[in-house]
Amino acid sequence: MHTSKLHPELELSAALYGALARKDAARIESLCGELFEFDPKSLTDGLDEEGLFVRRQVHEALDAALRGFILAEGADCDIWRRLLLPADVGVFTSGLWSANARWLRTTGSALPDTNDEVLEAEQLERLDLAEQARSLGRYCVVNDGSRAIAVGAVFDVLEKPLWPFLSSWLVTTYSCSPGRFTSHEAAVHQRTGLDEWLSRAECSGVQRAASPLEMESAYDAAYRADLDAKRIAVAVQGKAMAALFARLATLAPRDDALFAALPKGTRLLVAPNWREGHVSHRCLAPLLEGQRDLGTTALVIRERGSKERGPTASGWRNIEFELPGGTHQLIELGTLAAALSARQAEFAFFPEITPSNSSAWLAMQRLARVQATGYGYPATSGLESVDYFVAGAEVEPAGCEDAYSEQVVLIPGLGVSCSEPPAPRNPRTRPLDDPLLRVVSAAGIRKLGPDLLSAWNAVLGGCPSGTLDIFPAMSVRAAELHLPHLAKHLPHPQVSLHPSVDRNHLIDQLADADLYLDSYPFGGFNTLIEVVASGCPFVTLEGGQARNRFGAAILRRLGLPDFLICHSWPEYIAAATRILTDPGLRLDLRDRLADRKAVLEALADPHASAHFDAAVLWMLQQGPRTTPQPAAAVQL
């Protein structure tokens, strides 16, 4: 491919190959450092074909420099120390390079599948620290977990100074790389490797340094049925990342005057995305009306240049900040956290705690005497600094406390409520018994796992006149990148992927659809409200944790048939096929959902705010959690 202009990254890549030819170690290290400065996440954010080509060249050039020179067998330079050993503050100075294999896979490079690197305990055992480091680095820079390695055996023979790097690579790469889509075996290799690492991290004191990139893995783990999301959240966010932030916070300048206007003992809503229309606001705003009326302050902190824009939700007293990106963001967050702690707030509620914004980092600090979170992100934070998780009695199963590091407080109802979604702009025009059937999903890319896609393929296979439209809320570039991986498990020809559509357009499609397919292991809530409010039935697979139980709770609230709530993939496929092949059943389900007002009234809880206020009062009376292992869930 010929590029229309010489991209800066391509120019640097060419210079890197030149430095490799001259064996100019200083220049090679300098150029690698410059290339690491480019954020590879731009791969999924609007890159055209030319840009994708450039990024592939960049990561292949980095691979050539790392495996062919810096980490080559017998290399006489010691650059490996700066790559594989953490700095004094416990962070890897070039943490991005350890995820190079992930980005090679994402850009379509053949290297993750064609390289001849091996990582075997028997081989490592014979090497000294420097050669172990180079061998480990050569393997990690080009492999993303699609191949099996004996993680436990490798840890047993690896020099302890290298344990932090191996841990960081496993976490950063295994749970996030699209390599898990390449085959069922690849997903098994990744799960097994993470399980072996977790066993040592929990029981053997595996030393930890960290890269901020690891935060994404804790987030991604909740979207995979084959990973223990709580164990990963505790190990990554609760241990490694919390320790990293604490160390970086010591470098932050103090400015306790930042929040001088906040009265001591105040209540905080720490919500970077607290704006009209955001998913966390849509499902939690009705619960928090009482706290708003008490004068709770919404703390809205956004990364400078973030696309998450828009005014803070109306009616709230708020304080807003913008932060730079990168490590500087963490240091500035340390300043903010210290200033907030100085105000001695009485209560802080985090509607969501996710690494996609500043909420996770701030939740690692004790900003208030009592701290809690809820279903804005329906999975545990893994943080000792978060005392309580406010959940819904109609959603959580018996023994739900096992899925949380927080003390679970069950309030009556769903633990969320629904804001009325926009109505379809046009009524359905197709006849309800139309032989051409439309199936729809709005599951995002993280939710589209191999098992789910295979189930959808089976549903379409049992309905020759059916089509499936997927609206994954991703950029066109991201859709193109993931399409080959998705097609391996969903090869049916009647599938269409529709990236980047607005909410109103999606709702119009729901009104015209015959069936919506909920996702698993991370199902929907806000979208399912839009589905039934548009008159469309859905099937769901109910699991053992909140993130895969909202669909079942909604169906039970509406009194819809039990067969729509499935407990295995065969049941899920059979339920969807039954609806699609029975016109009378489709008409009956549509008729039950025809009264939009009645549907929304059944799902809205007029007492939701009072239930939440009672939970806050109880939590304040109990005070901060004093034991690391929470007790059984408390139902109010």
Side-chain angles (χ1 to χ4, degrees), residues 126-184:
R126 298 191 295 267
L127 305 177
D128 62 16
L129 173 63
E131 284 305 319
Q132 275 195 355
R134 294 187 181 103
S135 180
L136 176 64
R138 288 195 303 273
Y139 184 87
C140 293
V141 76
V142 74
N143 284 287
D144 65 348
S146 296
R147 301 177 182 182
I149 59 172
V151 171
V154 169
F155 267 118
D156 288 341
V157 302
L158 200 64
E159 295 283 349
K160 288 190 176 181
L162 297 174
W163 284 13
F165 172 79
L166 179 56
S167 298
S168 185
W169 173 74
L170 285 165
V171 173
T172 303
T173 304
Y174 268 38
S175 63
C176 303
S177 175
R180 67 187 174 97
F181 286 109
T182 59
S183 67
H184 173 71

Side-chain angles (χ1 to χ4, degrees), residues 53 61 66 89 91 195 269 309 321 384 484 536 551 588 617 633-634:
F53 167 79
L66 290 162
V89 292
V91 63
D195 283 346
L269 179 77
R309 311 305 294 173
F321 282 92
E384 292 184 7
C536 181
D588 176 63
L617 180 61
V634 174

